[in-house]
Structures are given as C-alpha cells and as structure tokens.
Amino acid sequence: MAQQADITAMRRAVALAARGLGATSPNPVVGCVITDASGHQVGEGFHQRAGGPHAEVHALRAAGVLARGGTAYVTLEPCDHTGRTGPCSQALIEAGISRVVYAVGDPNPQATGGADTLRAAGVEVEQGLLEAEAEAGNIAWLTSVRHGRPFVRWKYAATLDGRIAAADGTSRWISSAESRADVHRLRAEADAVLVGGGTLRTDDPHLAVRGIENATQPLRVALDTRAELPPTARILDDAAPTLLVVGEDADTRHLPDAELLRLPLHDGRVDVHELLTRLYERGIRSVLLEGGPTLAGAFVAGGAVDQVVGYLAPVLLGAGPAALADSGISTLTEALRLDVTETARVGSDLRITATLKGA
C-alpha cells in the first residue's frame, strides 16, 4: 500500500502536469516531483512546451546533487527514446535516482520501455499510483495515441430543459459570464476548435482564446462544405490560425487567402473520421467541438465524441432547438449512457463533465 508521502508527492506531480495543458501538443502533459533520500522534496517540474525539456529534466535540474539516492514521482512512464530531447530514463539513472514511481504507462510504442531500462540499471520502479487522476489529466494525449485520432470534447450550453436557443433563434446569453469565461479555458487547452456551417452563419463566431495570459491559440476549424463563408467573417481574422474545410468542388475564389482542406462529400457531408484523420496528420491531438446540434449529432453518430461538457443554465424556454440533433438513435435501448466524472458550479450555471460508459 502506498504511503501518504508517496500520494502527496504524486498528487503534486499531477497538479504540475496540468500547467502544461494547451502548450505541449503533440506531446503529453507530464509532471515530476523529486524527493531526496530522506523523503524531503528537493525539485519539481513539468513539461512546458513541445521540443523543450521534459518534466523529469526540469525537476532534476532543480534538485541538483540532492536527487542522488532519492525518488522521482512522474505522472507518465519516463520516456526511453531520443527525439528532440534525450531519454528521461537515462537522465534519471545518471542523476543517481534510486526509486521511480510513475502513474500511467506510456502507450506510445516509440517512447515506451523506460521502466524496463530503469529496472535494468538497478532502480526500484513502481507503477500505478494515482493512475486514474493522472490519466484524467492527460486524457487528450492518451486518447489520441491509443486511437490514432484527436480526442474530441463536445461543449455546449443549454437551458435546464435542454434548449440552446429560443424559438426565434435568440441564444445570447443562455449561460453566465463565468461559464463563457470557462469556455475560453477549454479552448486554450485544445489544439483545435471546430464549428459547422450553421454556427458560422448564425453566430459569426470568433473562436480565439481571450482573457487567458500567454495562451496558445488553437487552430480554428470551420466546416463549411459549400464555402458559403463571407470574407468578412470574424473567424478569418489574424487573431488565431484558421482552416476552412470545404467540399472538393466548392468555389472558394472569394476566399483567396484562406487555408483550405478539401474533402470528398458523402450525401453532402464530410465524413467525420476522415476529417479527424486529416487533423491528426497535421499534429492536432485534441479538438473542442463547439458546433451546433447538427454537427454534434454527426460526431455522436460516428462514435467520435470522447467527452461531453455541458453548461446548464437555470433557465426554461419550453421551445427552441435542442442541444443534440439526429445522432442515429431511434429508441431508448440505443441511448448512449454517460458516466458523470465531474460536476461544478460555474457562476449561476452547473457544469457537467461526462464520458461514454465503458470508455
């Protein structure tokens, strides 16, 4: 059984890892804490950006000679390969670390094996401490590695009776100012923000991150199969990069400066999995789905939603569009059941985070 000191150190490592959200892609977020031979914390660090030093290196630099004979607590199995940085397994060995405790095994076949290398060098290695907490904090990267596509988080805001707009189409603002600010945090954590043509035409969204210092702007992805977006659309400004996804034969002459991704259409629609594959190929590991009910329905029908974040406002409308349109579910026995992983009060709203049962 893990000692309380081990749990405290690993929980600190999990908290450190979260500081890298939105800045490390296509790499994972990782936190590390170093304690000396007597159990006192002497160093800590987290992976701050892709291509930069890994969490273990930051922590070892902070610890210096005090790391010798100590313990390293890491949220992800130390890597065992040389890429833009050297293998962390070797850095830990050279620093004289005598024990390594890590939470989650590395599913990346190019980087895994660090635990075996450490054991071969005589280092005591333990796996699984606070595994669920570390996995939850790194879920986007882990999902992308395991499935070979970006992690998809569907965000929506609705009234308590499930409406995202009134019968006349008005929707600003259903959710509270605090909830809208929280959405900018979700954007800052994502590699890409995706909306469809209906949202583009109705709301003319901007989709860039605001109010978060030093945030890395996500790629704004606009799914506009017939290229009906006007050149004056807010999403085409220079606040963040933008990718327009259009049909193969769409006329885009009115959008000469836009970056385009042309995809074949199937019954007038882009295939969800083909879109995700192309985004993955350009390094996108997490997508925040902010589109309307039609786009959300297509992703749900395609089994391509990994997490749902709903902001429920204490408002009743009784009429108007629902948060989710046709998703191929026709009877209650086909309903997708969710596991609620978190509930939180955000302003006057309730934020519910959930994943598919069994995912």
Side-chain angles (χ1 to χ4, degrees):
M1 181 180 293
Q3 300 296 314
Q4 185 58 49
D6 291 337
I7 294 172
T8 299
M10 184 62 80
R11 187 153 285 140
R12 174 59 181 168
V14 171
L16 287 166
R19 294 186 182 181
L21 284 169
T24 65
S25 188
N27 294 344
V29 294
V30 183
C32 178
V33 168
I34 305 288
T35 59
D36 63 16
S38 61
H40 295 98
Q41 181 174 327
V42 291
E44 64 179 32
F46 66 97
H47 186 37
Q48 300 176 15
R49 59 180 178 83
H54 289 186
E56 296 93 323
V57 173
H58 282 298
L60 288 171
R61 287 175 179 172
V65 296
L66 297 177
R68 187 161 299 277
T71 298
Y73 300 86
V74 196
T75 57
L76 185 69
E77 178 185 1
C79 68
D80 199 44
H81 80 302
T82 299
R84 285 184 282 184
T85 60
C88 291
S89 56
Q90 195 60 39
L92 291 165
I93 293 168
E94 292 174 357
I97 288 289
S98 63
R99 176 174 174 247
V100 172
V101 181
Y102 68 93
V104 180
D106 194 333
N108 183 355
Q110 295 178 324
T112 193
D116 291 338
T117 297
L118 288 163
R119 289 191 182 98
V123 178
E124 179 185 350
V125 179
E126 300 172 24
Q127 176 187 355
L129 181 61
L130 300 190
E131 183 175 12
E133 292 182 27
E135 174 125 2
N138 210 13
I139 191 62
W141 181 83
L142 289 168
T143 298
S144 71
V145 172
R146 291 166 179 164
H147 298 292
R149 63 158 176 81
F151 168 84
V152 177
R153 171 183 282 147
W154 170 39
K155 181 279 303 180
Y156 71 93
T159 62
L160 205 57
D161 56 340
R163 307 296 177 176
I164 61 168
D168 64 356
T170 55
S171 61
R172 295 186 177 181
W173 294 104
I174 285 177
S175 59
S176 66
E178 292 86 351
S179 289
R180 298 195 297 275
D182 196 57
V183 169
H184 284 277
R185 175 187 61 83
L186 296 183
R187 288 179 182 173
E189 293 178 2
D191 294 342
V193 179
L194 174 62
V195 296
T199 299
L200 290 170
R201 289 186 292 273
T202 303
D203 296 339
D204 188 22
H206 190 231
L207 300 183
V209 176
R210 299 188 302 275
I212 298 180
E213 188 176 355
N214 299 322
T216 300
Q217 291 291 347
L219 176 69
R220 298 177 292 186
V221 182
L223 182 53
D224 185 22
T225 56
R226 294 190 296 271
E228 297 174 326
L229 190 69
T232 56
R234 298 171 67 215
I235 200 172
L236 295 176
D237 68 10
D238 59 1
T242 300
L243 176 68
L244 297 185
V245 182
V246 299
E248 287 181 316
D249 301 325
D251 184 355
T252 59
R253 288 175 294 180
H254 64 297
L255 301 167
D257 299 324
E259 182 184 359
L260 303 175
L261 172 59
R262 294 186 180 273
L263 292 178
L265 301 182
H266 308 276
D267 296 326
R269 294 186 175 187
V270 165
D271 180 81
V272 165
H273 292 283
E274 186 170 4
L275 171 59
L276 290 175
T277 296
R278 297 294 290 273
L279 291 176
Y280 185 85
E281 289 172 350
R282 65 178 288 159
I284 299 298
R285 296 296 180 264
S286 60
V287 171
L288 179 62
L289 183 63
E290 286 202 45
T294 300
L295 186 62
F299 271 74
V300 170
V305 172
D306 299 297
Q307 187 183 75
V308 180
V309 179
Y311 296 85
L312 299 184
V315 177
L316 297 176
L317 283 173
L324 184 64
D326 182 21
S327 56
I329 299 170
S330 59
T331 181
L332 189 60
T333 57
E334 299 173 350
L336 296 180
R337 304 289 179 174
L338 307 178
D339 283 321
V340 174
T341 58
E342 183 191 41
T343 59
R345 186 75 177 265
V346 182
S348 59
D349 305 330
L350 179 65
R351 185 186 69 211
I352 299 178
T353 304
T355 58
L356 296 182
K357 276 191 176 296

